[in-house]
Amino acid sequence: MTTPRYARLAGRVLGRTEIPAAPPLAPADRAAAIAAVAVAIRARARRQTLRVWGLSMIGVAAAFALAFGLSRYIAQRPHASAFSGPTPARGTLQIVARLVNANATLESPQAASADGWTIGAGSRVFAPLDGRVMLSMSSGTSVLVHEGGDLSIVGTGAVQVFRVDAGSVEFQVAKLSPGDRLLVDTSDAEVEVRGTRFRVSIAPDPCANGVLTRVSVTEGVVAVRRAGGEVRVRPGEQWPADCDQAAIPLVPASALPRASPAPPAPSVQRESPLGEQNALFAVAVDARRRGDASGAIAALEQLLSRYPSGPLDESARAERLRVLRAAGASRAEGVARDYLARYPNGFARAEAEAAIAGGR
Amino acid sequence: MATSSAGTVAKLRLVTDDTSTRTTRTPALDDSELLAAVRAGDARAATAFHDRMRPQVERTVGRLFGRQDADHEDIVQQALIELVTTIDRYRGECSLDSWASTIAAHVVYKHIRRRKVERRIFSALVPEVLAQTRSSVRAGREAILRNAASRVLKHLDALDEAKVWAFVLHDVCGFDLHEVARITRVSVSAAQTRLVRGRREVHALIANDPELAGLLESVEGES
């Protein structure tokens, strides 16, 4: 920064001016000046104290307001959470599954806590044939999977997505936060929650329009989308309107055991269909070893009906044949023929042929 | 009774104890102790604080405002109180004197801007400048210096106030740009802009006054 010449000279000249030294202060003036400084020091100290006190009071008030708001929020939540632990953060919805009826048993390789099984996105829930499974979510939403129902938990973030593949599932949805959604997918429809209580079922036979999904609403409104269209279903209404909801059995007909009382069917959560098939097969083997032929047959039937072309299909059919033969069931011959028709050179061919020969 | 080494008797000489001219001083505190005491709200430090800060405040106020103005004493007192109230802002980035000088200059700046009349910087200073300049060896040179200073001050009256403040604070009083910015409550870049433009305008005014330009040249040539 170069200073123009005359500006520099002017600055020097003015800088060289000397103001006469101040005369000594009279004692009275000095005392007055010191007193004023002392007053200023005390006033500053007082302000500092007040500021600290004020900030403290603001902090205390804010803490009270926060505590009050939290208590109101917790008190107004429509459903108490089944979780004893801390409420998980948004986007990490936690779900606890438990059997509703005490007589049923729940088979799962995963150990249960006192509350039930903690599951999450990717899990699949199969309700036993003689019991229902209640899912309690940290959001306050509860989902009841009726007997024989098949529910997958697809997403647990801001958009909660469930999939119903079989049976009937009843939702009681807690108030969603702004931006949150809850969707229920089926093979031929999508249901979005606008209300609070509704049921999604999969019928064994389609309506005249070919739809398997059934939706009935108890409270609030839900939106059902299919083939690019959207229908609002209100309390007391059903979708599709031209289908008879009362005709829907709660249990898929194919999964029901025909000739035996309902065994303690498994309800396990798995993160893959293969894991589920393994679990069902293990339940059947375990039941056979315990002498519970009905339970074994029910588990195998469930496995075969859900995964007709799965990797365990041949093993399940062979195992079913063994159980029926051991129990002396007349069905054994038909099951053996069925096995040979599917697997003419299967590993249980000799057993199947023996069953047919023994039946003659 | 004492005797001198030469054998003559030395008389006791009574000397008056002139308490009226002696100022009672409190035990000296160093700057850090003084600042700590004031920050802690210890009013007992008021005397030490006053005695430590007043000379610097007086110098700054005197240079910018003069001593003959009726408001001079009030301004000094205001500056001392301002030092107390803003003491938390002093973080040791400069000397305590520099900081006191900056605060005092700001008090003067505010005071002059609030005035209804005589709002020009140095307006009260001109007579004092004329009355006394730093003495030089020769009386003639001193007269030239006084004359040149008073004419420069009159020229400054014709310039924009903000630019004059920047010029005077920086080039005359020796404040750096950050201090100028703090005193006039503007950004450093704004202070710099004002300074550059102020210098340019001062130069132009003096260049249009050949007599003053000659005076300044002669003063420069003699120094």
Side-chain angles (χ1 to χ4, degrees), chain A:
Chain A
M1 201 158 45
T2 309
T3 309
R5 178 171 176 74
Y6 290 130
R8 180 166 47 81
L9 292 178
R12 279 189 195 171
V13 165
L14 290 177
R16 287 164 72 180
T17 57
E18 189 173 49
I19 306 302
L25 270 181
D29 290 342
R30 178 171 176 270
I34 290 170
V37 170
V39 167
I41 291 174
R42 286 195 203 97
R44 180 187 164 280
R46 211 165 32 243
R47 277 196 302 274
Q48 290 285 101
T49 308
L50 284 173
R51 193 175 304 151
V52 170
W53 186 82
L55 286 174
S56 303
M57 291 309 293
I58 289 170
V60 169
F64 270 113
L66 185 62
F68 179 73
L70 278 175
S71 64
R72 288 287 303 269
Y73 171 73
I74 291 167
Q76 287 178 355
R77 289 179 68 176
H79 299 282
S81 171
F83 298 97
S84 55
T87 303
R90 177 175 165 172
T92 57
L93 184 72
Q94 287 187 13
I95 306 171
V96 168
R98 61 187 170 83
L99 274 170
V100 173
N101 29 355
N103 291 330
T105 58
L106 196 63
E107 298 283 350
S108 169
Q110 182 183 335
S113 67
D115 291 325
W117 284 260
T118 301
I119 57 177
S123 297
R124 194 166 181 179
V125 176
F126 297 100
L129 298 175
D130 61 345
R132 287 172 289 178
V133 177
M134 172 67 84
L135 307 184
S136 301
M137 304 185 190
S138 55
S139 61
T141 294
S142 57
V143 178
L144 182 63
V145 186
H146 285 268
E147 293 87 341
D150 177 354
L151 175 77
S152 298
I153 299 154
V154 180
T156 56
V159 180
Q160 300 167 37
V161 182
F162 301 88
R163 180 174 175 83
V164 178
D165 283 313
S168 188
V169 180
E170 197 167 327
F171 291 83
Q172 182 144 1
V173 182
K175 184 175 175 59
L176 297 172
S177 303
D180 284 357
R181 299 170 70 193
L182 192 148
L183 302 171
V184 182
D185 273 337
T186 66
S187 60
D188 53 15
E190 179 187 76
V191 181
E192 176 156 11
V193 173
R194 296 276 193 271
T196 56
R197 191 165 186 174
F198 61 100
R199 175 188 286 202
V200 177
S201 307
I202 306 300
D205 299 308
C207 277
N209 56 11
V211 177
L212 287 169
T213 301
R214 307 284 187 270
V215 178
S216 62
V217 178
T218 309
E219 292 174 16
V221 180
V222 300
V224 181
R225 302 185 190 98
R226 182 175 184 273
E230 180 177 302
V231 176
R232 297 291 178 98
V233 186
R234 300 178 188 287
E237 295 179 349
Q238 297 163 350
W239 182 92
D242 52 352
C243 279
D244 182 10
Q245 298 271 331
I248 303 173
L250 288 176
V251 184
S254 60
L256 284 172
R258 302 287 194 280
S260 58
S267 175
V268 288
Q269 55 265 352
R270 278 292 176 274
E271 294 192 357
S272 72
L274 182 60
E276 164 61 15
Q277 293 172 61
N278 284 331
L280 281 170
F281 193 81
V283 168
V285 171
D286 186 54
R288 179 172 63 82
R289 285 177 182 158
R290 285 189 280 108
D292 181 6
S294 299
I297 293 294
L300 291 169
E301 294 275 358
Q302 205 169 44
L303 173 58
L304 291 170
S305 67
R306 291 186 197 281
Y307 305 100
S309 57
L312 293 179
D313 185 74
E314 184 183 359
S315 298
R317 292 181 186 282
E319 187 67 18
R320 180 173 62 171
L321 174 61
R322 290 179 192 132
V323 173
L324 290 172
R325 284 188 71 195
S330 57
R331 283 180 64 203
E333 186 182 343
V335 168
R337 291 184 189 282
D338 180 57
Y339 175 85
L340 286 174
R342 289 171 184 267
Y343 304 101
N345 297 309
F347 68 88
R349 177 183 173 185
E351 290 175 84
E353 290 173 343
I356 294 169
R360 288 175 182 159

Side-chain angles (χ1 to χ4, degrees), chain A residues 1 3-7 9 12-14 16-20 25 30 33-34 36 38 41 44 47, chain B residues 23-24 38-39 47 50-51 54 63 67 77 84-85 87-88 125 134 141 196 199 203 216-217 220:
Chain A
M1 201 158 45
T3 309
R5 178 171 176 74
Y6 290 130
L9 292 178
R12 279 189 195 171
V13 165
L14 290 177
R16 287 164 72 180
T17 57
E18 189 173 49
I19 306 302
L25 270 181
R30 178 171 176 270
I34 290 170
I41 291 174
R44 180 187 164 280
R47 277 196 302 274
Chain B
T23 305
T24 306
V38 174
R39 282 174 178 148
T47 304
H50 172 271
D51 292 344
R54 185 170 187 109
R63 173 161 290 279
R67 297 193 196 286
Q77 192 62 51
V84 172
T85 55
I87 201 157
D88 286 329
L125 198 57
R134 183 174 294 167
R141 187 188 167 203
V196 170
R199 281 172 172 172
H203 174 82
L216 292 175
E217 296 281 7
E220 174 75 359

Side-chain angles (χ1 to χ4, degrees), chain B residues 49-178:
Chain B
F49 188 81
H50 172 271
D51 292 344
R52 169 71 179 83
M53 308 310 276
R54 185 170 187 109
Q56 188 63 33
V57 171
E58 283 270 12
R59 268 193 294 277
T60 305
V61 174
R63 173 161 290 279
L64 289 172
F65 198 62
R67 297 193 196 286
Q68 296 181 354
D69 192 282
D71 294 335
H72 171 266
E73 190 53 38
D74 287 346
I75 299 231
V76 170
Q77 192 62 51
Q78 276 180 37
L80 286 168
I81 291 170
E82 186 81 1
L83 285 172
V84 172
T85 55
T86 61
I87 201 157
D88 286 329
R89 293 185 207 158
Y90 176 64
R91 302 189 189 285
E93 298 101 339
C94 59
S95 73
L96 194 56
D97 284 336
S98 296
W99 178 65
S101 188
T102 304
I103 297 292
H106 177 64
V107 171
V108 173
Y109 174 78
K110 279 198 303 185
H111 181 80
I112 288 179
R113 286 171 67 89
R114 272 202 304 267
R115 277 184 160 185
K116 295 279 191 289
V117 292
E118 295 292 343
R119 296 188 63 207
R120 306 301 302 187
I121 187 173
F122 281 168
S123 57
L125 198 57
V126 175
E128 294 178 50
V129 169
L130 288 171
Q132 183 175 352
T133 59
R134 183 174 294 167
S135 60
S136 64
V137 178
R138 288 176 299 174
R141 187 188 167 203
E142 189 182 341
I144 291 172
L145 194 60
R146 281 203 307 256
N147 187 18
S150 65
R151 292 183 68 162
V152 168
L153 288 176
K154 285 177 182 170
H155 273 306
L156 291 184
D157 275 349
L159 296 180
D160 174 69
E161 194 181 354
K163 293 171 193 165
V164 173
W165 269 105
F167 171 72
V168 167
L169 290 171
H170 192 276
D171 287 0
V172 178
C173 299
F175 291 105
D176 66 28
L177 272 176
H178 286 87

